[in-house]
Structures are given as C-alpha cells and as structure tokens.
Amino acid sequence: MKYHPIKRNLFIQNRRNFTAKMLPNSLAVFNSNDIYPISADSTLPFEQHRDIFYLSGVDQEESILVLFPDCPKDKHREILFLKETNDHIAVWEGEKLTKEAAFETSGIKTVYWLQDMEKIMFELMTQCDMVYINTNEHYRANVETETREDRFTTWLKNKYPAHSVAKSNPILQRLRSVKNPIEIDLIQQACDITEKGFRRVLNFVKPDVWEYEIEAEFIHEFTRNRSRKFAYTPIIASGNSANVLHYIENNKQCKSGNLILLDVAAEYANYSSDMTRTIPVSGKFTKRQKEVYNAVNRVKNEATKMLLPGTDWAKYHKEVGKLMTSELLGLKLLDKADVQNEDPDWPAYKKYFMHGTSHHMGLDTHDYGILTEPMKANMVFTVEPGIYIPEEGFGIRLEDDVVIQKTGEPFNLMRNIPIEADEIEELMNSK
C-alpha cells in the first residue's frame, strides 16, 4: 500500500465497540469486495469493502472476518480467513498477507487460509444461535451488482437455515459515524494532500487551459503524496458546466472571464476528504462573481457554526435554507413575493441551491450515519452550500470538512486550504 501502516489499536478498538453491541451467543461475518472484471482479462483496481477494513485493517481481496465474542474456544472469538499466499502469487501479483503480517495489521491472532473456511464455519455455526449478516443500508445505496458479501450471505442462509439472522449495518452506521482520533488524523492527512493539489492548481490555471489538464495536476500531486486516487470522481467544471451538479466529463477549455468549480479531493489510507473551491480562470473575479462568491462563503461559515452535538440534520438544513434565502434576496435573485408564495416542500431558494448542505464523511465520501439521530461529537461533516445561475453562465460551490466538537464550533480540517476570494486572487497572481 502507498499509505503508511495504521496503528492496529484502531482496529482492535473498533472490534471491541462492535462486539459490545452484539446479542449473546451470536456471530458476525464480513467479506472483502470482489475484484470486478471489465472485459477480456482486465479488471478494475481493487477497492476494499470499508466495513472489513474498519474492523481489521485488512486491505486485500478474498478475505473474511468472523467475530464470535461468546465462542467456547478463545482462539475462535476473532478469526481472519485469507487467501493463501505462495511464491507463484508473489511473482505474478505481489506479496500477499502472511499470517504474521495479518496479525501485525489487525491484532487478530487466529488466521486460517480460505480453503479451511467451510470446515471452521461448520464448527462455529454449531456453537452460535444467531448470525449478523452485512447488508448495505446506506441511505444513498443503489447497488445493482451481486457482491461477494451477497453471495456469502446466500450460501450461509441456505447452508444453515435454522439460525436466526440479524443485521450488522445499524451497529456499523452508529459506530463508523463517530470517528476515533486516529481516524480524524487520517482524514486530516487526506485533506492536507488535497491542499497541496489545490495550491498546485492555483499556480497552473490560466485562460485556455483544459479541464482535464487541471485534473492531471491534481492527481500528480495526490499520487506523489501517497494517495492512491481521487476520493471520488473529480468535477472540474468551467463556465456553465458548474450548473450541472455531477459534471464529470472534464473535457472543456477554460475561457478567460469564466469561473471553474473544482469538486476534487484525495483519499488517504481509504479515508476520504471532500473539497470544493471555485476559482476565476483569469485570476480575478468580476464584481458580480465576487458578490455571489462571498454570499456562498457567508452561508458556509454560518452553517458551520450550527454543527453542534444534538443538532437535528433535517432542522439544520431548514435553517441553512433561511440563510441562503436571505443571501439570494440580497443578490436580487429572489424577491419577497417569491418567498411569500413559495412551496414549503420546495422553497424558493431551491431554484439556485437545490442540494443538501452537509453529509457524513469518513471511509466513504458519503459516509455512514443515521440522519434521524442527533449529531454527536467527533462526527465529520462536509459543509457545501452553492449558488447556481445558468442565466449568468456560472455556478459557485464552496466546501470544507469539519469535525463536531464536544463544545464550541466545529474544527475545520480544511482550515489551511485557501478560500477567501481575495486570497485566491492573490495566489493566482503571484506567479
């Protein structure tokens, strides 16, 4: 892996937190993701399932984690099943985890090769009453592919139909949404790498540059700082393309006088960052662009202050809507009649700001978190208001990642990434 080894204490604590929530005499199973085929012998780069990584630190395909805290055999209370490595695999694919390396990574002492899984599982299933299966219940999930986890669950339920079944996901949603200090440090590293990429781009952008050239500058800086990839598909949207919320073509030329919306961030050690900045192609905002920019920035700053323990996610977004409405009135994009006659289910401000302001962030860019439960300290959220004006040919979004504190305002993990309009202009013109 490109990233530095993570202290195994993180994964040991994560397992303790999870098993403390399990019902008596129950067992939980977690699988790695598949390596997905493209065509012929081509595959997509491997991406580890975030749940098994969260609980073990194992970043390798064909791995299974079993947790059975009440198992009569002490050594079977935590088990890793791994693909057996050999000299041939080492030559063709690279080194895989040995049993010793798996222990160093995870803190799990009992490691078996995958070919022993069915035999060991039979013994374990005779000793437990309930099995926790790992289903994807994230509120944005839209999965059309049968995953390795799905196939394992089907096998398990067919093989052992008399066992009760419970869901791991509600436990994981609550645990993963509150970050350990080690996790916050890893997210900070991802944000710091993103900062390096953004500062590089500020020195690179000029009229007539292509969006894909900017994308290349980001990934160059990310890779040389131990990031494996973008945290998500990057958006490099100049001019009116910024008004397409998920514009990812990145194939247009950036013209003088236009703005570029950059929704681009690095991952580090599977942890995401999530940044948006909007910059002027020619290094200077027009008066109107700066007015809108500063309005968005004010909403972001005030919205950030609302992210406190106990805050209700839905009520928070309503309050942000009021802030945005006030700014849109000041920009003459709305008038009082628009607000007085608005549909409560689609307020007037939604014409120019149609998406949410914040989401959980961590191992996934849109991370685990139950939105109907109050916010807690050490949750990490994005704050990303925007104003999109197709008729004026530009859109502006600004986004930081912040950690909710026990008391006081959130801690901004992107505090060092330039955001004030004047600073952006100064940096772009200091070449």
Side-chain angles (χ1 to χ4, degrees):
M1 299 305 164
K2 289 188 175 78
Y3 57 86
H4 293 290
I6 300 169
K7 294 177 182 177
R8 68 187 183 201
N9 294 352
L10 170 64
F11 310 116
I12 292 169
Q13 187 60 55
N14 289 346
R15 290 195 300 277
R16 284 177 184 156
N17 293 341
F18 183 89
T19 54
K21 303 290 186 183
M22 293 173 66
L23 292 170
N25 211 35
S26 60
L27 173 154
V29 187
F30 303 90
N31 278 266
S32 290
N33 277 332
D34 284 317
I35 297 177
Y36 290 98
I38 299 172
S39 183
D41 62 346
S42 299
T43 61
L44 294 172
F46 175 68
E47 285 276 345
Q48 182 58 295
H49 195 299
R50 301 305 190 238
D51 292 337
I52 192 173
F53 182 82
Y54 175 79
L55 294 167
S56 71
V58 170
D59 205 349
Q60 181 174 296
E61 73 280 6
E62 296 185 60
S63 304
I64 300 174
L65 169 67
V66 177
L67 301 177
F68 188 1
D70 296 332
C71 185
K73 286 186 179 178
D74 287 357
K75 73 173 188 175
H76 283 170
R77 292 179 180 173
E78 295 184 336
I79 301 173
L80 275 174
F81 294 101
L82 301 177
K83 178 181 179 179
E84 185 173 5
T85 190
N86 56 45
D87 293 341
H88 177 79
I89 289 172
V91 169
W92 285 89
E93 298 179 27
E95 207 172 307
K96 302 292 182 184
L97 286 172
T98 62
K99 292 182 179 182
E100 294 76 16
F103 169 69
E104 290 300 320
T105 297
S106 66
I108 295 173
K109 295 177 181 177
T110 303
V111 181
Y112 293 112
W113 299 130
L114 200 55
Q115 59 258 32
D116 296 323
M117 185 272 294
E118 291 196 30
K119 179 180 71 176
I120 303 295
M121 280 299 294
F122 177 80
E123 178 184 337
L124 299 178
M125 294 299 283
T126 64
Q127 297 166 342
C128 75
D129 300 319
M130 175 179 285
V131 181
Y132 283 86
I133 59 172
N134 195 28
T135 52
N136 186 349
E137 298 181 25
H138 188 273
Y139 65 99
R140 291 183 185 233
N142 181 22
V143 181
E144 296 183 7
T145 303
E146 185 182 46
T147 65
R148 188 178 188 85
E149 196 85 81
D150 295 334
R151 295 196 305 277
F152 184 90
T153 297
T154 299
W155 170 82
L156 190 75
K157 290 166 77 174
N158 288 337
K159 181 81 172 174
Y160 303 101
H163 282 70
S164 299
V165 174
K167 299 186 297 183
S168 299
N169 199 257
I171 299 175
L172 285 167
Q173 290 261 15
R174 292 181 174 93
L175 292 179
R176 276 183 49 185
S177 65
V178 179
K179 276 35 180 193
N180 179 292
I182 295 174
E183 292 183 285
I184 292 172
D185 286 345
L186 292 168
I187 298 169
Q188 181 68 76
Q189 288 187 67
C191 291
D192 292 346
I193 296 170
T194 299
E195 177 193 353
K196 293 177 191 298
F198 182 60
R199 289 184 181 275
R200 180 187 182 100
V201 162
L202 287 177
N203 288 322
F204 175 78
V205 167
K206 58 186 180 301
D208 298 328
V209 72
W210 291 82
E211 293 166 350
Y212 56 77
E213 293 181 289
I214 298 171
E215 181 178 343
E217 293 297 305
F218 271 111
I219 197 61
H220 177 99
E221 199 65 27
F222 292 176
T223 302
R224 70 197 294 260
N225 284 282
R226 292 183 175 267
S227 172
R228 290 185 297 180
K229 60 185 184 64
F230 293 108
Y232 48 88
T233 306
I235 297 169
I236 316 286
S238 62
N240 236 330
S241 295
N243 296 308
V244 179
L245 295 183
H246 293 113
Y247 171 83
I248 56 173
E249 286 79 5
N250 302 346
N251 62 0
K252 294 183 175 62
Q253 200 169 23
C254 305
K255 298 299 184 181
S256 179
N258 281 347
L259 300 181
I260 314 170
L261 189 154
L262 305 166
D263 192 339
V264 187
E267 70 82 53
Y268 179 76
N270 289 313
Y271 283 85
S272 293
S273 58
D274 193 354
M275 178 199 76
T276 309
R277 294 292 187 267
T278 306
I279 65 173
V281 174
S282 53
K284 189 167 180 61
F285 295 97
T286 66
K287 182 184 178 195
R288 176 61 168 173
Q289 288 168 349
K290 189 174 280 192
E291 284 176 349
V292 177
Y293 187 101
N294 288 335
V296 174
N297 203 14
R298 284 193 294 270
V299 173
K300 185 190 74 69
N301 291 338
E302 292 304 311
T304 300
K305 295 174 186 176
M306 299 181 195
L307 293 173
L308 304 168
T311 296
D312 177 86
W313 190 82
K315 290 179 181 175
Y316 159 75
H317 279 90
K318 285 186 179 178
E319 291 303 311
V320 176
K322 293 176 184 177
L323 291 173
M324 183 59 78
T325 298
S326 176
E327 292 292 350
L328 292 172
L329 287 167
L331 292 167
K332 305 275 192 280
L333 290 169
L334 295 179
D335 58 34
K336 290 182 179 179
D338 292 324
V339 178
Q340 289 167 352
N341 299 323
E342 70 182 10
D343 178 354
D345 294 328
W346 192 256
Y349 77 84
K350 290 282 190 181
K351 179 179 179 182
Y352 298 100
F353 174 40
M354 60 293 294
H355 58 78
T357 308
S358 295
H359 58 76
H360 289 86
M361 203 197 68
L363 278 168
D364 290 293
T365 305
H366 297 118
D367 205 27
Y368 280 3
I370 298 175
L371 300 183
T372 54
E373 297 182 358
M375 297 178 186
K376 295 180 180 178
N378 290 331
M379 287 183 170
V380 178
F381 279 95
T382 63
V383 190
E384 50 180 309
I387 295 176
Y388 309 92
I389 321 174
E391 58 270 24
E392 296 186 33
F394 68 90
I396 293 172
R397 181 166 66 251
L398 300 173
E399 176 183 24
D400 282 337
D401 305 335
V402 303
V403 187
I404 293 181
Q405 305 294 290
K406 288 181 181 177
T407 58
E409 294 182 15
F411 180 76
N412 189 351
L413 296 170
M414 293 186 161
R415 63 203 175 279
N416 296 324
I417 303 180
I419 196 167
E420 297 298 326
D422 291 344
E423 185 182 8
I424 297 290
E425 289 181 335
E426 181 180 346
L427 288 167
M428 292 187 76
N429 289 286
S430 61
K431 304 170 194 176

